[in-house]
Amino acid sequence: MSADTASPPRSQQQRALGLSTLAFTLCFAVWTIFSIIGVRLKQEFGLSDTQLGLLMATPVLTGSISRLLLGIWTDRFGGRRVFSLLMLVSAACVYLLTFANSYAMLLLAALGVGLAGGGFIVGVAYTSAWYSAGKQGTALGIFGAGNVGAAITNFAAPFLLLAMGWQGTALVYATVLALAGVAFWFLAKEDPQHAQRRAPAPLKAQLAPLAEMRVWRFSLYYFFVFGGFVALALWLPHYLMEVYGLGIAAAGMVAALYSVPASLFRILGGVMSDRIGARRVMYWTLGVSALCLLVLSYPPSRFVVDGVRGEVGFSLGTPLSLFIVLIFVLGFFMSLGKAAVFKHIPVYYPDHVGSVGGVVGMVGGLGGFLLPLTFGMLNDVVGIWQSCFMLLFVVVIAALAWMHYAINRADNKSWGRTPRSTDLPELAAPRSLVLNEWHPEDETFWQTTGARIARRNLWISIPNLLLAFAVWSIWSILVVRMPQLGFGYSPNQLFWLAALPSLSGATLRIFYSFMVPIFGGRRWTAISTASLLLPCLWIGMAVQNPDTPYSVMLILALLCGFGGGNFASSMANISFFYPQAKKGTAMGLNAGLGNLGVSALQLIGPLVIATSALGPLAGDPLITQQGVHAGDPVWLQNAALIWVPLIVIAALAAWFGMNDIASAKSSFRDQAVIFKRLHNWLMSWLYLGTFGSFIGFAAGFPLLSNMLFPAVDPTRYAFLGPLVGALARPLGGMLSDRLGGARVTLWNFALMALGVFGVLACLPEQGQGGSFLGFFAMFMVLFVATGIGNGSTYRMVPVIFFNQRRNALGDDQLDQVRTEANRESAAVLGFISAIAAYGGFFIPKAYGTATDMTGSVAPALYGFIFFYLSCMALTWWYYARRNAPAPC
């Protein structure tokens, strides 16, 4: 908690507040510049509505994501420096915008312009440092009223646009913002906290609060009060024109009755948070917002009742007058909530305002980016204009329920009572679920206690991982069907959709690799599995409309990477539970049966999209427009929605049935030592050859088969490859436990090279000839080989790192050897899985690139052979030969 003592003089506080509020107002005005000049850009560059929408949304995205980094920098270097530099950089980007001569350059400039939106968190951290806890709410409320910068742009930019054109308007904005940046540098003073701080806090210390669930609860509040505010501000004019038939001028005036109070009354929210408490303000905000949204969600309806004298008809709906009142009230309480959320942060995290506020602001800004896209899709899928308010009602109810649950758990029953505990225990694990003593290498402990607990965790982990792989692979089925259903995407665009989940999943694995020792295996498994609901539900809506913009599909493909990221944390978690001699089999079972998710998706997906298996709640089908099945209905959305109930069950099973191991706790710094280990990088290369091939072949096989053999329906057979590959993985682990991982891996790469030669022999030439049976058989050999190699390479890692640590520490420190080896092995297993997952991106893209450049996939296949030979050489030299540096 912040202290009220030793506050700076009031004149200095007012100076800091005034300068930061002015700076934020100008940054917010620049952040929304595309809402005005976008009209002229659309005409000059001939942009479609989709292109214009993406251009307007890009600064919102950049401004949101940048807030975390800017918050950390503000904590480290001070608000005066960061705010000044941010305004100067943003001004330079606006200036460079005037030189844009293509849509690509406009998007690039928009990314830079969006940095201005990150000024919010810089100003929050800078302003809060000048005030005591009892006055921070008021100060931050005044500062937050800088949102009115959007109104300045809406008022002033049109006149500049008419007088000077869009380049002149951008030039004026760049000049004003640059002057403000220079003025802030010379007029603002270092905040008291930074002036007294001798050295920047370590990055680890700055990021430590982000492991607390409370931070993400605050983020959900802000997702609604700020993200919902931005989304409705963009959506309301269109809504009013379509639903109530208003003209653009009248619609703008009514929308202003929402957006203006949602900005200016933020000051009142800050004052109220100081006087009656931010928690009480949040209860009022979420409660009243829920009531308003409940009424706004009700669509116009007509009823006919059988009366005494015949039918009696009446209708229910929200007249314009009531709508205006409700939208004004909603905007008013959302403005109070925005202030109340940021009142919490300096109180709970006085030394981490930048990093925590950065995360909260980032999530809120992402709401402003994602919600308008979702509103449009809901309109297309549900067909009801009020669906946007229905979605916001669900969000606000979730936020209200979570807040009330967390407060009750902290034993704070009364709204106005001073909290007895500031550590709200959403993530507190029951003692029965935390293993404080865990010694799997102790044979007595293992036989009496350890084996039973390890098996339970393994068999709960497997279905969670299976679902992750299923979600990760959804696009391998969708892209095959989409052209037949009227989605006008080119083959290259379809390959991108098939490849992007692997790209994002691989990147997420880098971070997921280190999450288990930080959060705990039970917690992270449940949270990461629950995150799969987002892509599944959103895909279920988006694919029901062939006119859904391709940019939305790209976002959804990236979100499916959540499923790919889960593998790294799942394997790291299971490795902690088993003794050295049983790790290969255990991880082989976890990964092998988890990999079955790809096969399950490719088997179940084609079946469920062919029937209305989920009933009317899933929506209407699309009609096949071409091919032998023309006229047949297809419920493409079922391929995603079928997994939703299973994800909920699996996440709950992980939360209540798995365990956290206390001794597995370690920081990122402890784990980061793996980046100095040569064998981390060598095993990354080898695992790219095994798992990278598995996921890449699985992602690209259906589309490749359809291109090479158009007479064959690949969706009938595609599931067999991932199936045999997944089932072979435990075999690879078991063989490695008996024969040695290096020996199995060496000969497995030889088999993979021969398998690719077999595929080359079966390819058609210039669309003629070829053998699908031979092509399919050779790919089955490749899938089996990838499965065996996956198991054998994962068996190699624990052995390598145990021997390395034993050589370094000696046999007299075996307990320390095991602790360090387990920690490093778990981090390496996660990291190499991250690198390997990029194979799921490169292999489909290699097919597409080779076909575009040469008309054949053969060059890509020859490249695979060369790569497998390099893997053989590395395995033999470092691990398999006599006197190898690290025999395993």
Side-chain angles (χ1 to χ4, degrees):
M1 304 287 286
S2 297
D4 290 342
T5 60
S7 295
R10 187 173 181 181
S11 59
Q12 293 185 14
Q13 293 177 331
Q14 293 175 341
R15 178 194 186 97
L17 178 58
L19 287 172
S20 60
T21 302
L22 176 61
F24 176 52
T25 302
L26 295 176
C27 284
F28 210 88
V30 168
W31 198 30
T32 56
I33 189 174
F34 283 100
S35 65
I36 299 300
I37 68 172
V39 177
R40 189 64 56 85
L41 291 172
K42 180 180 181 182
Q43 298 170 352
E44 185 169 323
F45 288 85
L47 306 181
S48 66
D49 289 337
T50 299
Q51 289 175 315
L52 178 60
L54 181 59
L55 181 63
M56 295 174 68
T58 296
V60 178
L61 182 63
T62 311
S64 304
I65 295 176
S66 66
R67 290 182 176 187
L68 175 58
L69 185 60
L70 289 170
I72 293 173
W73 283 354
T74 304
D75 282 344
R76 292 177 70 86
F77 304 114
R80 172 177 166 269
R81 298 178 184 179
V82 176
F83 219 155
S84 300
L85 183 61
L86 177 65
M87 285 188 278
L88 292 173
V89 171
S90 300
C93 293
V94 178
Y95 175 69
L96 293 175
L97 173 65
T98 63
F99 295 96
N101 56 16
S102 67
Y103 181 63
M105 291 184 66
L106 286 175
L107 285 176
L108 184 62
L111 286 171
V113 172
L115 292 173
F120 171 74
I121 190 54
V122 181
V124 166
Y126 178 74
T127 302
S128 65
W130 287 93
Y131 288 85
S132 61
K135 297 181 179 179
Q136 284 173 337
T138 302
L140 293 179
I142 295 173
F143 168 78
N147 287 347
V148 79
I152 293 176
T153 289
N154 290 335
F155 177 77
F159 295 102
L160 292 173
L161 191 64
L162 292 173
M164 308 175 65
W166 71 267
Q167 291 97 335
T169 302
L171 189 60
V172 169
Y173 269 62
T175 303
V176 172
L177 192 61
L179 292 174
V182 173
F184 197 88
W185 176 267
F186 287 105
L187 297 178
K189 295 185 177 182
E190 293 288 357
D191 65 80
Q193 289 185 4
H194 188 265
Q196 297 170 8
R197 189 178 296 157
R198 295 182 179 178
L203 182 61
K204 171 187 171 183
Q206 286 184 277
L207 296 178
L210 305 190
E212 297 183 22
M213 201 62 174
R214 177 173 54 202
V215 173
W216 302 100
R217 178 164 55 85
F218 293 165
S219 299
L220 178 60
Y221 300 165
Y222 208 61
F223 182 87
F224 171 70
V225 294
F226 180 76
F229 156 68
V230 174
L232 284 179
L234 295 173
W235 187 254
L236 276 178
H238 182 51
Y239 181 92
L240 290 162
M241 293 169 66
E242 295 293 338
V243 176
Y244 293 102
L246 300 183
I248 187 170
M253 292 179 63
V254 174
L257 291 175
Y258 165 76
S259 58
V260 172
S263 299
L264 295 181
F265 284 108
R266 187 167 184 161
I267 301 173
L268 177 61
V271 175
M272 292 176 64
S273 297
D274 282 339
R275 293 187 177 180
I276 67 174
R279 180 177 296 166
R280 181 177 294 181
V281 174
M282 283 309 304
Y283 262 116
W284 278 102
T285 293
L286 299 179
V288 175
S289 296
L291 292 176
C292 291
L293 289 168
L294 179 63
V295 178
L296 291 169
S297 299
Y298 194 85
S301 305
R302 297 183 181 88
F303 298 89
V304 177
V305 179
D306 291 329
V308 177
R309 298 180 181 84
E311 293 182 344
V312 178
F314 64 94
S315 61
L316 291 177
T318 306
L320 179 60
S321 57
L322 178 59
F323 181 88
I324 293 173
V325 172
L326 290 173
I327 208 68
F328 175 85
V329 173
L330 181 63
F332 172 78
F333 277 95
M334 290 176 95
S335 69
L336 301 185
K338 283 187 284 187
V341 171
F342 271 85
K343 166 65 176 177
H344 283 80
I345 294 172
V347 171
Y348 282 96
Y349 303 100
D351 298 323
H352 304 279
V353 175
S355 56
V356 174
V359 168
V360 173
M362 178 184 70
V363 173
L366 288 175
F369 174 74
L370 296 173
L371 284 173
L373 298 176
T374 310
F375 290 169
M377 284 191 293
L378 283 173
N379 259 18
D380 294 333
V381 174
V382 180
I384 299 175
W385 277 100
Q386 289 73 21
S387 57
C388 61
F389 296 113
M390 297 176 187
L391 174 61
L392 290 177
F393 177 75
V394 172
V395 174
V396 75
I397 288 297
L400 183 60
W402 190 359
M403 181 175 74
H404 191 63
Y405 165 76
I407 291 171
N408 281 342
R409 285 288 302 271
D411 195 27
N412 296 318
K413 304 291 185 180
S414 172
W415 291 0
R417 185 181 306 168
T418 301
R420 296 180 222 164
S421 169
T422 60
D423 186 17
L424 302 186
E426 294 95 336
L427 276 181
R431 292 184 179 180
S432 60
L433 298 179
V434 178
L435 303 175
N436 292 306
E437 295 293 332
W438 188 251
H439 309 288
E441 300 294 343
D442 184 332
E443 185 64 26
T444 302
F445 174 85
W446 178 254
Q447 294 295 337
T448 58
T449 305
R452 173 177 52 82
I453 295 175
R455 281 195 298 270
R456 186 182 74 245
N457 280 269
L458 174 61
W459 291 111
I460 295 177
S461 173
I462 287 171
N464 278 270
L465 187 56
L466 184 148
L467 291 169
F469 270 93
V471 173
W472 197 22
S473 308
I474 282 176
W475 287 94
S476 66
I477 290 296
L478 300 180
V479 294
V480 177
R481 290 288 190 176
M482 292 173 86
Q484 305 166 8
L485 298 172
F487 291 87
Y489 305 147
S490 68
N492 193 44
Q493 287 178 313
L494 293 174
F495 270 120
W496 268 106
L497 291 176
L500 277 180
S502 295
L503 181 63
S504 62
T507 305
L508 285 173
R509 283 186 177 191
I510 297 174
F511 301 98
Y512 279 40
S513 303
F514 305 101
M515 291 297 104
V516 169
I518 295 173
F519 282 90
R522 176 189 69 89
R523 299 170 180 176
W524 188 252
T525 301
I527 292 170
S528 59
T529 299
S531 72
L532 304 177
L533 292 171
L534 177 60
C536 285
L537 292 171
W538 200 356
I539 289 173
M541 295 185 294
V543 298
Q544 296 185 50
N545 180 17
D547 295 325
T548 298
Y550 182 67
S551 58
V552 173
M553 295 300 188
L554 289 176
I555 294 171
L556 294 176
L558 288 170
L559 288 177
C560 284
F562 286 162
N566 285 12
F567 179 81
S569 55
S570 179
M571 295 298 285
N573 182 43
I574 292 302
S575 72
F576 284 112
F577 281 94
Y578 280 83
Q580 197 75 17
K582 299 181 182 295
K583 286 184 186 288
T585 301
M587 290 190 293
L589 286 170
N590 187 55
L593 298 182
N595 288 171
L596 284 175
V598 181
S599 183
L601 179 279
Q602 294 181 347
L603 172 63
I604 296 173
L607 298 177
V608 297
I609 66 176
T611 64
S612 57
L614 301 181
L617 291 177
D620 297 325
L622 296 174
I623 304 301
T624 306
Q625 299 180 6
Q626 53 183 303
V628 295
H629 299 290
D632 291 350
V634 175
W635 287 264
L636 200 61
Q637 63 270 28
N638 287 359
L641 297 178
I642 190 68
W643 308 107
V644 169
L646 300 178
I647 290 170
V648 173
I649 294 171
L652 291 174
W655 185 263
F656 293 105
M658 295 184 73
N659 296 96
D660 296 316
I661 300 177
S663 62
K665 283 283 187 179
S666 63
S667 67
F668 172 79
R669 183 177 180 180
D670 293 334
Q671 300 173 80
V673 70
I674 67 169
F675 298 120
K676 301 178 182 179
R677 309 298 193 211
L678 171 65
H679 297 288
N680 174 54
W681 304 104
L682 295 178
M683 292 307 302
S684 295
W685 187 262
L686 298 185
Y687 198 57
L688 178 62
T690 57
F691 181 80
S693 298
F694 170 81
I695 196 63
F697 291 153
F701 179 74
L703 196 55
L704 179 65
S705 300
N706 193 47
M707 291 174 57
L708 296 176
F709 302 96
V712 179
D713 182 2
T715 60
R716 297 184 179 182
Y717 313 103
F719 75 93
L720 290 172
L723 175 63
V724 297
L727 294 177
R729 182 158 188 160
L731 176 62
M734 294 174 188
L735 288 174
S736 299
D737 283 340
R738 294 187 177 187
L739 306 176
R743 182 183 302 176
V744 175
T745 301
L746 178 68
W747 290 108
N748 192 71
F749 278 124
L751 179 61
M752 293 178 70
L754 292 174
V756 178
F757 274 118
V759 172
L760 282 164
C762 299
L763 293 180
E765 296 182 5
Q766 298 181 349
Q768 302 295 322
S771 169
F772 177 75
L773 289 178
F775 173 86
F776 182 78
M778 288 298 99
F779 259 105
M780 292 304 102
V781 171
L782 284 172
F783 274 112
V784 170
T786 60
I788 293 174
N790 287 338
S792 63
T793 48
Y794 250 53
R795 177 65 183 100
M796 292 169 67
V797 170
V799 176
I800 292 170
F801 281 85
F802 178 81
N803 291 336
Q804 292 287 309
R805 299 317 300 150
R806 184 171 61 181
N807 292 338
L809 298 175
D811 289 338
D812 56 337
Q813 299 186 51
L814 280 180
D815 288 340
Q816 182 68 16
V817 167
R818 293 190 182 100
T819 299
E820 292 188 14
N822 283 338
R823 181 175 63 226
E824 292 186 21
S825 296
V828 169
L829 291 173
F831 183 76
I832 68 173
S833 74
I835 300 301
Y838 284 109
F841 172 76
F842 288 120
I843 287 180
K845 283 306 298 173
Y847 293 154
T849 301
T851 302
D852 285 344
M853 295 179 65
T854 68
S856 170
V857 297
L861 296 174
Y862 282 114
F864 299 161
I865 293 172
F866 178 80
F867 178 74
Y868 296 146
L869 293 177
S870 73
C871 292
M872 286 184 66
L874 282 177
T875 305
W876 178 79
W877 180 260
Y878 282 98
Y879 306 115
R881 67 183 174 93
R882 184 178 298 177
N883 299 322
C888 57

